[in-house]
mmCIF file with all atom_site columns, all heavy atoms in Angstrom:
data_model
loop_
_atom_site.group_PDB
_atom_site.id
_atom_site.type_symbol
_atom_site.label_atom_id
_atom_site.label_alt_id
_atom_site.label_comp_id
_atom_site.label_asym_id
_atom_site.label_entity_id
_atom_site.label_seq_id
_atom_site.pdbx_PDB_ins_code
_atom_site.Cartn_x
_atom_site.Cartn_y
_atom_site.Cartn_z
_atom_site.occupancy
_atom_site.B_iso_or_equiv
_atom_site.pdbx_formal_charge
_atom_site.auth_seq_id
_atom_site.auth_comp_id
_atom_site.auth_asym_id
_atom_site.auth_atom_id
_atom_site.pdbx_PDB_model_num
ATOM 1   N N   . LYS Y 1 14  ? 0.420   17.476 10.514 1.00 97.00 ? 14  LYS Y N   1
ATOM 2   C CA  . LYS Y 1 14  ? 1.376   16.919 11.479 1.00 97.00 ? 14  LYS Y CA  1
ATOM 3   C C   . LYS Y 1 14  ? 0.696   15.913 12.395 1.00 97.00 ? 14  LYS Y C   1
ATOM 4   O O   . LYS Y 1 14  ? 1.265   14.869 12.729 1.00 97.00 ? 14  LYS Y O   1
ATOM 5   C CB  . LYS Y 1 14  ? 1.995   18.048 12.310 1.00 97.00 ? 14  LYS Y CB  1
ATOM 6   C CG  . LYS Y 1 14  ? 2.993   18.907 11.551 1.00 97.00 ? 14  LYS Y CG  1
ATOM 7   C CD  . LYS Y 1 14  ? 3.535   20.023 12.431 1.00 97.00 ? 14  LYS Y CD  1
ATOM 8   C CE  . LYS Y 1 14  ? 4.544   20.882 11.682 1.00 97.00 ? 14  LYS Y CE  1
ATOM 9   N NZ  . LYS Y 1 14  ? 5.040   22.009 12.523 1.00 97.00 ? 14  LYS Y NZ  1
ATOM 10  N N   . ALA Y 1 15  ? -0.536  16.216 12.806 1.00 98.00 ? 15  ALA Y N   1
ATOM 11  C CA  . ALA Y 1 15  ? -1.279  15.279 13.654 1.00 98.00 ? 15  ALA Y CA  1
ATOM 12  C C   . ALA Y 1 15  ? -1.567  13.983 12.900 1.00 98.00 ? 15  ALA Y C   1
ATOM 13  O O   . ALA Y 1 15  ? -1.447  12.881 13.457 1.00 98.00 ? 15  ALA Y O   1
ATOM 14  C CB  . ALA Y 1 15  ? -2.585  15.920 14.134 1.00 98.00 ? 15  ALA Y CB  1
ATOM 15  N N   . MET Y 1 17  ? 0.208   12.734 10.450 1.00 97.00 ? 17  MET Y N   1
ATOM 16  C CA  . MET Y 1 17  ? 1.472   12.006 10.313 1.00 97.00 ? 17  MET Y CA  1
ATOM 17  C C   . MET Y 1 17  ? 1.895   11.334 11.613 1.00 97.00 ? 17  MET Y C   1
ATOM 18  O O   . MET Y 1 17  ? 2.450   10.230 11.597 1.00 97.00 ? 17  MET Y O   1
ATOM 19  C CB  . MET Y 1 17  ? 2.572   12.955 9.829  1.00 97.00 ? 17  MET Y CB  1
ATOM 20  C CG  . MET Y 1 17  ? 2.458   13.318 8.358  1.00 97.00 ? 17  MET Y CG  1
ATOM 21  S SD  . MET Y 1 17  ? 2.503   11.857 7.272  1.00 97.00 ? 17  MET Y SD  1
ATOM 22  C CE  . MET Y 1 17  ? 4.154   11.230 7.621  1.00 97.00 ? 17  MET Y CE  1
ATOM 23  N N   . ARG Y 1 30  ? 4.036   8.486  2.128  1.00 98.00 ? 30  ARG Y N   1
ATOM 24  C CA  . ARG Y 1 30  ? 4.636   9.522  1.306  1.00 98.00 ? 30  ARG Y CA  1
ATOM 25  C C   . ARG Y 1 30  ? 3.954   10.837 1.652  1.00 98.00 ? 30  ARG Y C   1
ATOM 26  O O   . ARG Y 1 30  ? 2.739   10.871 1.874  1.00 98.00 ? 30  ARG Y O   1
ATOM 27  C CB  . ARG Y 1 30  ? 4.425   9.218  -0.184 1.00 98.00 ? 30  ARG Y CB  1
ATOM 28  C CG  . ARG Y 1 30  ? 4.874   10.328 -1.121 1.00 98.00 ? 30  ARG Y CG  1
ATOM 29  C CD  . ARG Y 1 30  ? 4.292   10.122 -2.516 1.00 98.00 ? 30  ARG Y CD  1
ATOM 30  N NE  . ARG Y 1 30  ? 4.857   8.961  -3.165 1.00 98.00 ? 30  ARG Y NE  1
ATOM 31  C CZ  . ARG Y 1 30  ? 4.238   8.269  -4.115 1.00 98.00 ? 30  ARG Y CZ  1
ATOM 32  N NH1 . ARG Y 1 30  ? 3.001   8.607  -4.490 1.00 98.00 ? 30  ARG Y NH1 1
ATOM 33  N NH2 . ARG Y 1 30  ? 4.807   7.237  -4.684 1.00 98.00 ? 30  ARG Y NH2 1
ATOM 34  N N   . ALA Y 1 52  ? 5.307   19.174 -4.128 1.00 95.00 ? 52  ALA Y N   1
ATOM 35  C CA  . ALA Y 1 52  ? 4.076   19.336 -4.898 1.00 95.00 ? 52  ALA Y CA  1
ATOM 36  C C   . ALA Y 1 52  ? 3.327   20.563 -4.405 1.00 95.00 ? 52  ALA Y C   1
ATOM 37  O O   . ALA Y 1 52  ? 2.870   20.607 -3.267 1.00 95.00 ? 52  ALA Y O   1
ATOM 38  C CB  . ALA Y 1 52  ? 3.200   18.093 -4.782 1.00 95.00 ? 52  ALA Y CB  1
ATOM 39  N N   . TYR Y 1 108 ? -17.414 21.278 8.310  1.00 98.00 ? 108 TYR Y N   1
ATOM 40  C CA  . TYR Y 1 108 ? -18.861 21.052 8.330  1.00 98.00 ? 108 TYR Y CA  1
ATOM 41  C C   . TYR Y 1 108 ? -19.698 22.270 7.974  1.00 98.00 ? 108 TYR Y C   1
ATOM 42  O O   . TYR Y 1 108 ? -20.911 22.161 7.805  1.00 98.00 ? 108 TYR Y O   1
ATOM 43  C CB  . TYR Y 1 108 ? -19.293 20.459 9.662  1.00 98.00 ? 108 TYR Y CB  1
ATOM 44  C CG  . TYR Y 1 108 ? -19.252 21.353 10.894 1.00 98.00 ? 108 TYR Y CG  1
ATOM 45  C CD1 . TYR Y 1 108 ? -20.043 21.046 11.999 1.00 98.00 ? 108 TYR Y CD1 1
ATOM 46  C CD2 . TYR Y 1 108 ? -18.446 22.459 10.999 1.00 98.00 ? 108 TYR Y CD2 1
ATOM 47  C CE1 . TYR Y 1 108 ? -20.028 21.816 13.151 1.00 98.00 ? 108 TYR Y CE1 1
ATOM 48  C CE2 . TYR Y 1 108 ? -18.420 23.237 12.135 1.00 98.00 ? 108 TYR Y CE2 1
ATOM 49  C CZ  . TYR Y 1 108 ? -19.217 22.908 13.212 1.00 98.00 ? 108 TYR Y CZ  1
ATOM 50  O OH  . TYR Y 1 108 ? -19.192 23.672 14.338 1.00 98.00 ? 108 TYR Y OH  1
ATOM 51  N N   . ARG Y 1 127 ? -18.882 18.746 -4.630 1.00 96.00 ? 127 ARG Y N   1
ATOM 52  C CA  . ARG Y 1 127 ? -19.593 18.547 -5.887 1.00 96.00 ? 127 ARG Y CA  1
ATOM 53  C C   . ARG Y 1 127 ? -18.624 18.260 -7.028 1.00 96.00 ? 127 ARG Y C   1
ATOM 54  O O   . ARG Y 1 127 ? -18.937 17.493 -7.957 1.00 96.00 ? 127 ARG Y O   1
ATOM 55  C CB  . ARG Y 1 127 ? -20.453 19.769 -6.192 1.00 96.00 ? 127 ARG Y CB  1
ATOM 56  C CG  . ARG Y 1 127 ? -21.654 19.869 -5.244 1.00 96.00 ? 127 ARG Y CG  1
ATOM 57  C CD  . ARG Y 1 127 ? -22.226 21.279 -5.191 1.00 96.00 ? 127 ARG Y CD  1
ATOM 58  N NE  . ARG Y 1 127 ? -23.376 21.344 -4.313 1.00 96.00 ? 127 ARG Y NE  1
ATOM 59  C CZ  . ARG Y 1 127 ? -23.304 21.387 -2.975 1.00 96.00 ? 127 ARG Y CZ  1
ATOM 60  N NH1 . ARG Y 1 127 ? -22.114 21.368 -2.367 1.00 96.00 ? 127 ARG Y NH1 1
ATOM 61  N NH2 . ARG Y 1 127 ? -24.393 21.458 -2.239 1.00 96.00 ? 127 ARG Y NH2 1
ATOM 62  N N   . TYR Y 1 151 ? -6.231  30.327 23.459 1.00 93.00 ? 151 TYR Y N   1
ATOM 63  C CA  . TYR Y 1 151 ? -7.089  31.502 23.609 1.00 93.00 ? 151 TYR Y CA  1
ATOM 64  C C   . TYR Y 1 151 ? -7.499  31.735 25.063 1.00 93.00 ? 151 TYR Y C   1
ATOM 65  O O   . TYR Y 1 151 ? -7.873  32.852 25.441 1.00 93.00 ? 151 TYR Y O   1
ATOM 66  C CB  . TYR Y 1 151 ? -8.333  31.309 22.734 1.00 93.00 ? 151 TYR Y CB  1
ATOM 67  C CG  . TYR Y 1 151 ? -9.191  32.532 22.522 1.00 93.00 ? 151 TYR Y CG  1
ATOM 68  C CD1 . TYR Y 1 151 ? -8.658  33.822 22.513 1.00 93.00 ? 151 TYR Y CD1 1
ATOM 69  C CD2 . TYR Y 1 151 ? -10.560 32.397 22.305 1.00 93.00 ? 151 TYR Y CD2 1
ATOM 70  C CE1 . TYR Y 1 151 ? -9.466  34.926 22.307 1.00 93.00 ? 151 TYR Y CE1 1
ATOM 71  C CE2 . TYR Y 1 151 ? -11.374 33.502 22.096 1.00 93.00 ? 151 TYR Y CE2 1
ATOM 72  C CZ  . TYR Y 1 151 ? -10.819 34.764 22.097 1.00 93.00 ? 151 TYR Y CZ  1
ATOM 73  O OH  . TYR Y 1 151 ? -11.619 35.857 21.896 1.00 93.00 ? 151 TYR Y OH  1
ATOM 74  N N   . VAL Y 1 170 ? -22.419 25.369 19.174 1.00 98.00 ? 170 VAL Y N   1
ATOM 75  C CA  . VAL Y 1 170 ? -21.312 25.018 18.279 1.00 98.00 ? 170 VAL Y CA  1
ATOM 76  C C   . VAL Y 1 170 ? -20.748 23.677 18.738 1.00 98.00 ? 170 VAL Y C   1
ATOM 77  O O   . VAL Y 1 170 ? -20.634 23.431 19.947 1.00 98.00 ? 170 VAL Y O   1
ATOM 78  C CB  . VAL Y 1 170 ? -20.202 26.096 18.318 1.00 98.00 ? 170 VAL Y CB  1
ATOM 79  C CG1 . VAL Y 1 170 ? -18.982 25.654 17.515 1.00 98.00 ? 170 VAL Y CG1 1
ATOM 80  C CG2 . VAL Y 1 170 ? -20.734 27.431 17.804 1.00 98.00 ? 170 VAL Y CG2 1
ATOM 81  N N   . GLU Y 1 184 ? -7.618  6.011  10.272 1.00 98.00 ? 184 GLU Y N   1
ATOM 82  C CA  . GLU Y 1 184 ? -8.417  4.783  10.351 1.00 98.00 ? 184 GLU Y CA  1
ATOM 83  C C   . GLU Y 1 184 ? -9.160  4.546  9.042  1.00 98.00 ? 184 GLU Y C   1
ATOM 84  O O   . GLU Y 1 184 ? -9.189  3.423  8.510  1.00 98.00 ? 184 GLU Y O   1
ATOM 85  C CB  . GLU Y 1 184 ? -9.403  4.879  11.507 1.00 98.00 ? 184 GLU Y CB  1
ATOM 86  C CG  . GLU Y 1 184 ? -10.094 3.572  11.864 1.00 98.00 ? 184 GLU Y CG  1
ATOM 87  C CD  . GLU Y 1 184 ? -9.183  2.574  12.540 1.00 98.00 ? 184 GLU Y CD  1
ATOM 88  O OE1 . GLU Y 1 184 ? -8.243  2.985  13.235 1.00 98.00 ? 184 GLU Y OE1 1
ATOM 89  O OE2 . GLU Y 1 184 ? -9.417  1.354  12.338 1.00 98.00 ? 184 GLU Y OE2 1
ATOM 90  N N   . THR Y 1 195 ? -19.447 9.710  3.467  1.00 98.00 ? 195 THR Y N   1
ATOM 91  C CA  . THR Y 1 195 ? -19.249 11.059 3.999  1.00 98.00 ? 195 THR Y CA  1
ATOM 92  C C   . THR Y 1 195 ? -19.441 11.021 5.507  1.00 98.00 ? 195 THR Y C   1
ATOM 93  O O   . THR Y 1 195 ? -20.428 10.479 5.998  1.00 98.00 ? 195 THR Y O   1
ATOM 94  C CB  . THR Y 1 195 ? -20.244 12.056 3.381  1.00 98.00 ? 195 THR Y CB  1
ATOM 95  O OG1 . THR Y 1 195 ? -19.991 12.156 1.979  1.00 98.00 ? 195 THR Y OG1 1
ATOM 96  C CG2 . THR Y 1 195 ? -20.098 13.445 3.998  1.00 98.00 ? 195 THR Y CG2 1
ATOM 97  N N   . SER Y 1 214 ? -14.307 28.035 32.544 1.00 97.00 ? 214 SER Y N   1
ATOM 98  C CA  . SER Y 1 214 ? -14.126 28.450 33.947 1.00 97.00 ? 214 SER Y CA  1
ATOM 99  C C   . SER Y 1 214 ? -13.694 27.258 34.792 1.00 97.00 ? 214 SER Y C   1
ATOM 100 O O   . SER Y 1 214 ? -12.773 27.356 35.616 1.00 97.00 ? 214 SER Y O   1
ATOM 101 C CB  . SER Y 1 214 ? -15.428 29.030 34.500 1.00 97.00 ? 214 SER Y CB  1
ATOM 102 O OG  . SER Y 1 214 ? -15.795 30.216 33.841 1.00 97.00 ? 214 SER Y OG  1
ATOM 103 N N   . GLU Y 1 233 ? -13.883 43.506 13.688 1.00 96.00 ? 233 GLU Y N   1
ATOM 104 C CA  . GLU Y 1 233 ? -12.920 44.601 13.856 1.00 96.00 ? 233 GLU Y CA  1
ATOM 105 C C   . GLU Y 1 233 ? -11.839 44.225 14.870 1.00 96.00 ? 233 GLU Y C   1
ATOM 106 O O   . GLU Y 1 233 ? -10.657 44.528 14.672 1.00 96.00 ? 233 GLU Y O   1
ATOM 107 C CB  . GLU Y 1 233 ? -13.645 45.865 14.310 1.00 96.00 ? 233 GLU Y CB  1
ATOM 108 C CG  . GLU Y 1 233 ? -12.743 47.078 14.426 1.00 96.00 ? 233 GLU Y CG  1
ATOM 109 C CD  . GLU Y 1 233 ? -13.510 48.339 14.808 1.00 96.00 ? 233 GLU Y CD  1
ATOM 110 O OE1 . GLU Y 1 233 ? -14.755 48.330 14.741 1.00 96.00 ? 233 GLU Y OE1 1
ATOM 111 O OE2 . GLU Y 1 233 ? -12.853 49.332 15.158 1.00 96.00 ? 233 GLU Y OE2 1
ATOM 112 N N   . LEU Y 1 275 ? -14.728 17.686 25.249 1.00 97.00 ? 275 LEU Y N   1
ATOM 113 C CA  . LEU Y 1 275 ? -14.050 18.978 25.307 1.00 97.00 ? 275 LEU Y CA  1
ATOM 114 C C   . LEU Y 1 275 ? -13.396 19.183 26.663 1.00 97.00 ? 275 LEU Y C   1
ATOM 115 O O   . LEU Y 1 275 ? -12.257 19.657 26.750 1.00 97.00 ? 275 LEU Y O   1
ATOM 116 C CB  . LEU Y 1 275 ? -15.058 20.098 25.030 1.00 97.00 ? 275 LEU Y CB  1
ATOM 117 C CG  . LEU Y 1 275 ? -14.477 21.510 24.929 1.00 97.00 ? 275 LEU Y CG  1
ATOM 118 C CD1 . LEU Y 1 275 ? -13.469 21.612 23.792 1.00 97.00 ? 275 LEU Y CD1 1
ATOM 119 C CD2 . LEU Y 1 275 ? -15.597 22.533 24.752 1.00 97.00 ? 275 LEU Y CD2 1
ATOM 120 N N   . LEU Y 1 279 ? -9.378  19.763 27.080 1.00 97.00 ? 279 LEU Y N   1
ATOM 121 C CA  . LEU Y 1 279 ? -8.859  20.990 27.652 1.00 97.00 ? 279 LEU Y CA  1
ATOM 122 C C   . LEU Y 1 279 ? -8.052  20.729 28.914 1.00 97.00 ? 279 LEU Y C   1
ATOM 123 O O   . LEU Y 1 279 ? -6.993  21.330 29.143 1.00 97.00 ? 279 LEU Y O   1
ATOM 124 C CB  . LEU Y 1 279 ? -10.002 21.959 27.941 1.00 97.00 ? 279 LEU Y CB  1
ATOM 125 C CG  . LEU Y 1 279 ? -10.743 22.520 26.725 1.00 97.00 ? 279 LEU Y CG  1
ATOM 126 C CD1 . LEU Y 1 279 ? -11.959 23.316 27.165 1.00 97.00 ? 279 LEU Y CD1 1
ATOM 127 C CD2 . LEU Y 1 279 ? -9.824  23.385 25.870 1.00 97.00 ? 279 LEU Y CD2 1
#
Side-chain angles (χ1 to χ4, degrees):
K14 287 179 180 178
M17 285 302 297
R30 173 196 292 154
Y108 71 158
R127 289 160 179 78
Y151 193 30
V170 173
E184 191 72 30
T195 296
S214 295
E233 184 177 347
L275 185 61
L279 293 173

